[in-house]
């Protein structure tokens, strides 16, 4: 029974960390693909996504090595880091789902004014110009601009942002619960004796 419980915890923890490795590689790949094909010109956005992906990859790697070797120190640090990530991710996901329209509009306007490269990306992809007003004497990368038939981007951005916030909030909540599951599995697995090891070597 003890051996079966130990093996079950080990396999569950390994599977969870393999999932995290796959998600991290997917994040890095999508960000690099978006930058390579010119879908996103903002280096900050791409760098942020790749940074999160790399961080998740190394955390998952620590968890995977700790699970395979039943390494007490690695499992302890993995458990602490995963719990901290859970708190941050749960808070951000809840905020994404709870944000109201006025707060959303304010954040979008701040983001719009702070990044020219993001403005260009949005104008090109949504075929609109300006945030609240179209400046026909200015510059705009949208296809509609030469014909002076563009509409402001604010309304379209808000529609897309609402969908994105719901999606990101939902996915974030889902993964935050897998993280608390990982913390519980790690705590349980760390305190189980390896049936193949010398009992006197168990910490």
């Amino acid at each position: 029974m003890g051996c079966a419980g130990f093996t079950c915890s080990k396999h569950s923890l390994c599977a969870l960390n393999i999932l995290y490795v796959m998600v991290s590689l997917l994040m890095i790949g999508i960000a690099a693909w978006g930058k390579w094909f010119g879908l996103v010109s903002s280096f900050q956005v791409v760098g942020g996504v790749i940074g999160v992906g790399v961080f998740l990859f190394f955390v998952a790697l620590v968890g995977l090595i700790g699970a395979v070797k039943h390494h007490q120190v690695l499992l302890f640090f993995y458990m602490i880091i995963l719990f901290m990530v859970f708190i941050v991710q749960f808070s951000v996901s809840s905020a994404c789902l709870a944000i109201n329209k006025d707060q959303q509009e304010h954040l979008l306007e701040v983001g719009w004014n702070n990044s020219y490269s993001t403005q260009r990306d949005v104008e090109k992809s949504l075929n609109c110009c300006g945030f609240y007003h179209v400046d026909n004497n200015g510059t705009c990368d949208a296809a509609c601009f030469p014909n002076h038939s563009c509409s402001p981007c604010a309304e379209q951005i808000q529609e897309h942002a609402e969908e994105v916030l719901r999606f990101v909030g939902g996915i974030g909540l889902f993964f935050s619960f897998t993280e608390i599951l990982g913390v519980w599995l790690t705590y349980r697995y760390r305190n189980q004796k390896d049936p193949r090891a010398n009992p006197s070597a168990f910490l």
Side-chain angles (χ1 to χ4, degrees), residues 5 13 18-19 30 35 73 77-78 94 109-110 112 122 136 155 167 181 184 186 200-201:
L13 204 53
I18 288 169
L19 173 66
I30 288 174
K35 182 65 177 172
V73 177
F77 281 110
Y78 171 74
S94 300
E109 189 175 2
V110 170
W112 177 272
V122 171
N136 291 321
E155 192 174 335
F167 178 76
L181 173 66
W184 176 77
T186 306
S200 61

Side-chain angles (χ1 to χ4, degrees), residues 25-149:
L25 292 175
L26 187 66
M27 287 174 69
I28 294 167
I30 288 174
W33 176 78
K35 182 65 177 172
W36 180 264
F37 284 95
L39 299 177
V40 182
S41 61
S42 174
F43 182 76
Q44 288 91 342
V45 172
V46 174
V49 173
I50 290 177
V52 170
V54 170
F55 174 75
L56 181 61
F57 177 81
F58 280 112
V59 170
L61 203 61
V62 168
L64 199 57
I65 294 169
V68 170
K69 295 183 176 291
H70 198 236
H71 195 289
Q72 297 290 312
V73 177
L74 283 180
L75 288 171
F76 174 76
F77 281 110
Y78 171 74
M79 188 169 60
I80 297 299
I81 293 168
L82 203 61
F83 184 69
M84 290 169 66
V85 170
F86 161 76
I87 291 172
V88 172
Q89 190 166 319
F90 184 81
S91 303
V92 171
S93 301
S94 300
C96 286
L97 294 172
I99 191 170
N100 61 42
K101 194 167 185 178
D102 291 336
Q103 292 170 327
Q104 181 181 311
E105 192 173 325
H106 174 69
L107 288 172
L108 288 171
E109 189 175 2
V110 170
W112 177 272
N113 293 329
N114 285 343
S115 177
Y116 178 69
S117 59
T118 302
Q119 288 180 28
R120 291 179 57 196
D121 290 339
V122 171
E123 287 174 341
K124 195 185 294 183
S125 60
L126 297 182
N127 199 27
C128 59
C129 288
F131 194 73
Y132 287 121
H133 307 287
V134 179
D135 182 9
N136 291 321
N137 296 319
T139 57
C140 179
D141 291 336
C144 62
F145 188 68
N147 303 323
H148 300 293
S149 58

